[in-house]
Amino acid sequence: MKTVLHVVGARPNYMKIAPLMDALRSVDGLRQILVNTGQHYDEAMAKGFIRELSLPMPDRDLEVGSASHAVQTGNVMIRFEQVCLEERPDLVVVVGDVNSTMAATLVATKLHIPVAHVEAGLRSFDRTMPEEINRIVTDRLADLLLTPSPDGNDNLLREGVPAERIHLVGNIMIDTLYRHLPLATLDRVADRVTVRDGEYAVLTLHRPSNVDVRDTFHGILSAVATIAAEMPVVFPVHPRTQARVKEFGFDDFLKNVQVTGPLGYIDFLSLTSHARLILTDSGGLQEESTALGIPCLTLRENTERPITVTHGTNTIVGTKTANIVAGYRAAMRGEVSKQRPDLWDGQTARRVSAILQRYLFG
Ligand code: UD1
């Protein structure tokens, strides 16, 4: 019997682990354990996703909660080490680039437990981004590097990772998107927002560099107010962002915006899949809008997901008011490219599962 231990912790992790656990479920001689670090803990940010995506309830909850980077990372490490010592897994699977991803990788590697990183190789080349540090450390240590796009392979090879550790598998989050798309209807959210199919924008913002810095946040919200005067804008707001709106006294910018709390996975997909435009600073949403064929304006100066620009619907517009508004006008005029990157086909979990089985059972 072999044991695979999967690690989740923050909202963007659940949709990446769910299809993989499903694909491995029927493998003989394999036991799966799910560890939830508790980096996110509100119902709408964590457990709600677990239920909706039919993930098993976690076998272990580490309940680390919010804290500074060092404290949060340290707490995951201390508690995850104990779990590894008790469960003695043959492989640890981590996804994405959050603090829990890096913390679990450090612990497992020091205990000589091999690590598989799903969504390896992405680089923004911007070390002020906490996720970039998490990505670099995780990829440096992981034994199996499963990449979503060829740029991931190129980055890893350039950093000296041996080619035999790297596998191009496609985007596992898109497996979850295709699986749930038939359930995504505007009826589901009709009690919370007033929108018409294809005639509104969806906005998300949560990155500290955007919302914790008063001037930057001011510039973004000024553009949002301009757009909201012309078309309905729906804004499911992250807890961090909500706190900053209050602290900076920015409520007025949002007076024409339909603000909701964080939404569940299918409700959010209902909104994005019927939108005319997406504005975001999220990584995952750049990919989801590409898969959906909906134009996306990324409110950052760079992206670790360049394939969404070269082979998708994404434009990097930065955070200055004039540039965001110009990007919005261009998107309203322009033809949307319907390209989709290779291997973003809903079959990534099957490919990852085959690679993990070969690794574990030879
Ligand atoms: C984290 C990830 C980021 C990911 C994002 C998705 C890192 C470094 N960052 O950022 O990559 O894109 O999750 O949401 O791992 N809070 C709540 N309830 C919760 C969770 C957080 O109220 O369930 C509040 C707390 O005040 C907390 C703040 O949100 O301080 C930020 O949470 P945190 O997990 O530190 O980082 P995120 O900004 O969510």
Side-chain angles (χ1 to χ4, degrees), residues 10-12 39-42 45 66 69 72 97-99 130-131 134 206-207 238-240:
R11 180 168 64 172
Q39 177 173 341
H40 286 167
Y41 41 85
D42 286 346
M45 302 285 285
S66 298
H69 284 269
Q72 189 175 61
D97 56 14
V98 300
N99 287 343
E131 293 84 354
N134 295 340
H206 75 284
R207 210 156 280 291
H238 183 285
R240 171 195 289 281

Side-chain angles (χ1 to χ4, degrees), residues 6-14 17 34-42 45-47 50 61-62 64-65 72 76 95 98-101:
H6 304 273
V7 181
V8 290
R11 180 168 64 172
N13 296 158
Y14 303 105
I17 282 291
L34 180 61
V35 177
N36 184 29
T37 66
Q39 177 173 341
H40 286 167
Y41 41 85
D42 286 346
M45 302 285 285
K47 285 270 158 68
I50 293 179
D61 275 303
L62 306 186
V64 298
Q72 189 175 61
V76 175
V95 293
V98 300
N99 287 343
S100 301
T101 309

Side-chain angles (χ1 to χ4, degrees), residues 240-294:
R240 171 195 289 281
T241 309
Q242 183 143 43
R244 294 300 171 263
V245 170
K246 290 271 156 308
E247 185 185 324
F248 297 145
F250 283 169
D251 300 80
D252 256 15
F253 285 114
L254 299 175
K255 62 177 188 295
N256 289 324
V257 172
Q258 301 187 42
V259 179
T260 75
L263 297 177
Y265 181 77
I266 300 169
D267 286 355
F268 187 62
L269 184 59
S270 300
L271 270 181
T272 53
S273 59
H274 294 95
R276 172 84 171 83
L277 177 69
I278 291 170
L279 299 111
T280 191
D281 64 3
S282 143
L285 198 43
Q286 296 171 49
E287 301 177 333
E288 288 167 338
S289 48
T290 276
L292 292 167
I294 291 176

Side-chain angles (χ1 to χ4, degrees), residues 110-155:
K110 287 204 168 192
L111 291 173
H112 311 294
I113 301 165
V115 172
H117 182 206
V118 179
E119 199 186 275
L122 300 185
R123 296 290 181 270
S124 65
F125 304 100
D126 174 3
R127 288 203 182 193
T128 64
M129 228 184 141
E131 293 84 354
E132 182 75 353
I133 310 301
N134 295 340
R135 290 189 280 259
I136 292 169
V137 173
T138 302
D139 286 342
R140 193 68 214 159
L141 298 178
D143 301 85
L144 279 173
L145 296 129
L146 304 149
T147 61
S149 45
D151 54 289
N153 294 49
D154 296 344
N155 292 333

